[in-house]
Amino acid sequence: MMKRVFLGLLVAVVVAGCSSVKLDDVPVEDKSASAVPAQPGGAPTTQSQVAPVAAENTTGTAQGPVNVARLIYFDYDSYIIKPEFQSLIEAHARFLKASKSRHVALEGHTDERGGSEYNLALGQRRAEAVRRALALLGVPDAQMEAVSFGKERPAVQGSGEEVWAKNRRVEIVYR
Amino acid sequence: MKTPAQWRRRQMVGLIGAAAALPAWAQFRVEVTGVGLTQLPIAIAPFRGEDTAPQKPAAIVQADLERSGQFRAIDPAGAALDETSRPDLTPWRQKGADSLASGSVTQLADGRWDVRFRLWDVVRGQDLGGQSYAVTTGDLRLAAHRIADFIYEKLTGEKGVFSTRIAYVTKQGSRYNLWVADADGENAQSALASNAPIISPAWSHSGTQIAYVSFESRKPVVYVHEVASGRRRLIANFRGSNSAPAWSPDDRTLAVTLSRDGGSQLYTISAQGGEPHRLTQSSGIDTEPTYAPDGQHIYFVSDRGGAPQIYRMPIGGGAPERVTFNGTYNISPALSPDGRWLAYISRISGAFKLQVMDLAGGTVNSITDTTADERPSFAPNSRLLVYATRQNGREALMTTTLDGKIKARLAGQGGDIREPAWGPFQR
């Protein structure tokens, strides 16, 4: 008797999910049971089941200095801040030093060429170049975070040098 | 020997057939190139009872085998067989079939389906064995893929990957989805929907979890996501960027790229979360870590020499050794589970090309004719790769044999499709 129960359990374990059994074996079925529940939680389970999740987004940017641009553009494969952006960076530095409670995200971006992860690292390098420039002007590190979107958030869709030049950038985003 | 024209005609017929039977976008479609391919002729008889089942195993098995490029389907016209039949093999031999599969689908009292089949060697008149699977309606396709795996392994001697799953990301407007689909591209189910980008999905070796990078909190953050339940946990959300997750062979540790100490550097972190341990100390970029299957090395990308190249170092950190030497841009390393091959992306005259290196001999082959290849990922049997690319201005996922001769394409569903990751064998 015990032996038979044990054997039954063994077969049940083997049959669970989508494991195969030899053709001679009869699948264990619960003849008293009603239909298989469609939702997970009830046995038997569907091995291919994927539970969907919806992510909630963080959005919105707070106000920074008035009438000051928030975009710094870069040459291909470069993270050198060109002289023409120096006054823009100085304006943000003044604002941040005067408003110690304000925080800023420096969001690095690349053009579409190349791999996602390597571009993420290149965008990070651009964001950190801007962070260093602001730090040199006296902005405390605690007020800044350098992050990267790599090539995932182009400002302009499409291809070609004109488009790419607009996408190689750091955005200064106030939180 | 077939001429190219004959091949093309055959593909056209195949494409029209597939388009009529299935949603046009959902499936990997085969594009066979190269000559001298031998294809095993096989007949798959309709499974008895499949008319009443929501999935038809015979068609799924046949499509799987044909997509591998190693099989040619013989029309089973009018055959009424199941796994208990002892068929007269003479007519099958006359049709040119080397093998024949037959089976049945029966609904059980508890609502599940009992799927059974048997495989015959037509030439030798031999019973090659059979299996049965008791599955829920949601796993009927899985049962069919397992049958295709059984047949593939019996007839080619290699393990099949039809019952494995592929994760990938689509972008439609500003909507991003992380999908988990059968290896044929069908049965895609959304694991994560977001208004922010998702990149770098990586399957745990158990096949139950996916690590990925999500930008939903307006910066890159690493999650580990349990696929069946949808439960997910934050693994790396440090100051700066968090990216490029890779599972250790025992699934206990993740290697990641963090910029929390300035610069993009490699760290390891427990798969349960916790304090990261720094692996590299360079002034440049170190990223895209991946564990060698032997568990002894981590391959990664570094520009420490001035341009991105692939390096290898002991898992605990230590002196890196350069692996790629051709060109000035080599990224996205992927190692075959058998440890023999390294796939990566190389920039060659401005084009991004999938390369396969034989690690023992060091020889490298370029195996595509596209110019925007990205992110290769090996099938668990080490015989196929999936990668992202652009074709006719549209993003597509491709699978290819390691010699590049047999390719199949999965087109996006009216949007972009990218970031593929091939899952492990499922138990």
Side-chain angles (χ1 to χ4, degrees), chain A residues 114-115, chain B residues 288 301 308-310 324 326 328-334 342-348 351-356 368 371-377 386-389:
Chain B
E288 295 197 289
V301 170
Q309 296 289 351
I310 294 162
T324 53
N326 296 335
T328 57
Y329 188 100
N330 293 304
I331 61 161
S332 303
L342 171 70
Y344 60 97
I345 303 297
S346 191
R347 187 177 65 202
I348 300 164
F352 297 89
K353 308 280 288 177
L354 174 60
Q355 311 286 302
V356 176
T368 66
T371 59
D373 304 341
E374 274 190 58
R375 216 186 125 81
S377 171
V386 64
Y387 61 100
T389 193

Side-chain angles (χ1 to χ4, degrees), chain A residues 19-101:
Chain A
S19 30
S20 62
V21 295
K22 287 275 175 315
L23 271 178
D24 309 334
D25 296 335
V26 176
V28 176
E29 64 182 307
D30 182 354
K31 293 208 157 108
S32 64
S34 51
V36 180
Q39 292 304 312
T45 54
T46 295
Q47 201 179 338
S48 314
Q49 178 84 34
V50 175
V53 174
E56 281 180 30
N57 267 59
T58 307
T59 51
T61 68
Q63 192 70 48
V66 181
N67 291 332
V68 178
R70 300 188 297 112
L71 289 171
I72 299 155
Y73 295 102
F74 293 82
D75 288 339
Y76 180 57
D77 219 2
S78 167
Y79 55 101
I80 291 163
I81 299 168
K82 293 188 266 188
E84 66 222 63
F85 295 106
Q86 192 58 34
S87 64
L88 180 160
I89 285 175
E90 283 165 6
H92 285 284
R94 275 195 302 278
F95 180 87
L96 284 165
K97 283 194 287 182
S99 355
K100 297 280 183 211
S101 63

